[in-house]
Amino acid sequence: TAYWLRFTFFEDSLFAQFAHSLMMSPGQEKRVHLGTALFKLAEVITHPQGDPWAGFNRFDDIWGRASPNKIVSLLFSSPITFRSGGKRNVTFPQPELVFGSYLSKWNAYSSTVFDDKLREYLQQHVIPARYKLETRILNFGSYQEVGFEGKCSFIMTESIPEEILRQINALADFSFYSGTGAKTTMGMGQTRRI
């Protein structure tokens, strides 16, 4: 059986070590251990021309290219859910939850930290305008998670300052690496800008 795995890193040094270990000794068969499973590596794709889910960027590059677009469209490719109140799952792309999940990770790993006041703008000035979503259940064996998949466009109101618009756009671009919502390390929340 062929499997497709996607890895994202927020630390350049970790990515460099990981990539080096996968790429060294060309021609030799590579094997990867994940838990108790052993996989034979068939292909490593690092560029979007090979697959739209491949690529790399630095935080500074994402921030440097951020535009003040007032419409942001995202593709949610694996189930997305948000924890609310500890146990309740939210299965709709509320802007403060979607972009708030990116903001938390961005501020934890980037040297350019965005002000937490951005969360107020997300709640009051970002609106999910057009969306085509479906709920999906992801089976983890001993339990299941319900989430949404599909496309959603967010519109920013006229009163958002340009700097805040750039931050929101940078976070939308960052979603490709961070994922959205809960359990992103288990395959949920795969997201990219469209």
Side-chain angles (χ1 to χ4, degrees), residues 2-185:
Y3 294 93
W4 178 84
L5 296 172
R6 182 171 185 255
F7 296 93
T8 60
F9 299 87
F10 298 149
E11 301 279 340
D12 289 345
S13 60
L14 282 175
F15 171 73
Q17 289 176 357
F18 184 78
H20 178 73
S21 68
L22 290 180
M23 308 279 192
M24 61 184 280
S25 305
Q28 291 184 357
E29 184 174 276
K30 295 279 185 211
R31 297 188 179 271
V32 177
H33 287 272
L34 292 175
T36 58
L38 177 64
F39 297 91
K40 182 175 107 179
L41 186 63
E43 182 178 21
V44 176
I45 302 170
T46 60
H47 196 276
Q49 288 178 333
D51 188 289
W53 287 101
F56 57 91
N57 253 313
R58 298 181 194 281
F59 284 98
D60 291 343
D61 294 335
I62 293 172
W63 176 233
R65 286 193 302 268
S67 63
N69 292 339
K70 291 193 175 184
I71 299 175
V72 169
S73 298
L74 298 174
L75 171 66
F76 304 112
S77 291
S78 64
I80 294 174
T81 190
F82 303 96
R83 296 284 183 250
S84 179
K87 294 187 176 184
R88 192 176 127 242
N89 285 2
V90 176
T91 57
F92 186 78
Q94 296 173 12
E96 65 275 13
L97 297 177
V98 170
F99 292 93
S101 76
Y102 311 146
L103 178 60
S104 296
K105 291 176 186 174
W106 178 280
N107 282 347
Y109 293 97
S110 175
S111 60
T112 303
V113 176
F114 297 155
D115 192 312
D116 230 32
K117 290 182 182 177
L118 176 57
R119 292 182 192 278
E120 294 173 25
Y121 283 97
L122 295 173
Q123 288 179 330
Q124 299 170 12
H125 300 281
V126 180
I127 303 156
R130 296 186 63 186
Y131 51 87
K132 186 174 182 180
L133 303 168
E134 294 183 29
T135 55
R136 296 271 190 247
I137 297 175
L138 193 59
N139 188 345
F140 285 100
S142 59
Y143 67 97
Q144 297 176 331
E145 288 286 349
V146 177
F148 64 88
E149 290 180 1
K151 299 176 184 179
C152 184
S153 293
F154 299 88
I155 295 179
M156 316 320 150
T157 65
E158 293 296 321
S159 57
I160 295 184
E162 185 173 315
E163 183 75 1
I164 298 295
L165 281 173
R166 285 189 65 230
Q167 290 176 5
I168 292 170
N169 278 270
L171 294 175
D173 293 337
F174 177 60
S175 70
F176 182 79
Y177 305 100
S178 70
T180 306
K183 298 196 180 289
T184 57
T185 59

